[in-house]
Amino acid sequence: MIFIFGGKYQGKTAYALTQYGEKLRICDLAEESAAVMFEVDLVKNIQEGVRHLLAEGISPLSYFTENIDRLERKILIGTEIGCGIVPMEERERIWRDETGRVYQLLAGNAQKVERLWAGIPITIKG
C-alpha cells in the first residue's frame, strides 16, 4: 500500500498518476461508496469515505482495520484535515478525529507514505 496525503489542491492525484501509472483505475470516495475502493487501483478522498461511513453509523477505524488486507496493493490518497481551527460542530470534530485515526492505521500499514506540498513530494516512510 502507498499512502499519499497533503493539503487540498496540492497535486496529490496528479503526482500519483505520474509516478504510479496514468491508466490506474480510480475511485473517488467523495462520490462513490467505500465498497468500490476494493475494485480499483487508486482511492482518493479517504477523508470523505470516513465521513460517509460515520453517516451510515459504521466505525471508520473498524471498517478500515477489518479490510486492511484488501488495501495491500492500493494507492490511497487523503486530504490533510487536522491542521487549522478545530470545528465548532461536534459532528465535524468527530469526523476530523476519526480521519486522523484512519490515517494513522493506513500510514502504519503502508510500505510507502508520502506527503505532498505544492506539488513537491516528501517521503516520510519507505
Side-chain angles (χ1 to χ4, degrees):
M1 172 191 332
I2 297 169
F3 180 50
I4 300 169
F5 72 100
K8 200 166 186 105
Y9 305 111
Q10 296 297 313
K12 299 177 297 290
T13 302
Y15 168 76
L17 293 173
T18 300
Q19 292 298 305
Y20 303 108
E22 293 183 9
K23 296 187 180 196
L24 295 172
R25 295 171 298 147
I26 300 173
C27 164
D28 185 345
L29 293 182
E31 302 171 0
E32 300 177 75
S33 160
V36 177
M37 71 180 163
F38 306 118
E39 303 168 11
V40 299
D41 307 305
L42 185 150
V43 182
K44 63 190 243 179
N45 286 315
I46 296 292
Q47 75 284 349
E48 295 306 322
V50 169
R51 185 187 301 277
H52 294 308
L53 289 168
L54 286 168
E56 294 174 23
I58 298 169
S59 163
L61 185 58
S62 295
Y63 185 85
F64 278 88
T65 299
E66 291 166 9
N67 290 290
I68 199 73
D69 292 340
R70 297 175 72 187
L71 299 171
E72 187 175 309
R73 296 180 180 216
K74 310 282 182 206
I75 299 166
L76 305 174
I77 299 175
T79 298
E80 193 172 297
I81 61 169
C83 298
I85 298 170
V86 176
M88 290 181 63
E89 291 183 37
E90 181 180 18
R91 180 175 46 103
E92 291 296 304
R93 288 193 307 271
I94 291 169
W95 168 63
R96 179 175 152 152
D97 292 347
E98 289 298 316
T99 298
R101 290 181 185 102
V102 168
Y103 283 9
Q104 289 177 55
L105 173 73
L106 298 178
N109 284 278
Q111 289 76 37
K112 187 171 191 175
V113 178
E114 296 177 290
R115 180 174 189 247
L116 238 74
W117 191 258
I120 299 170
I122 301 164
T123 300
I124 296 175
K125 178 181 175 183

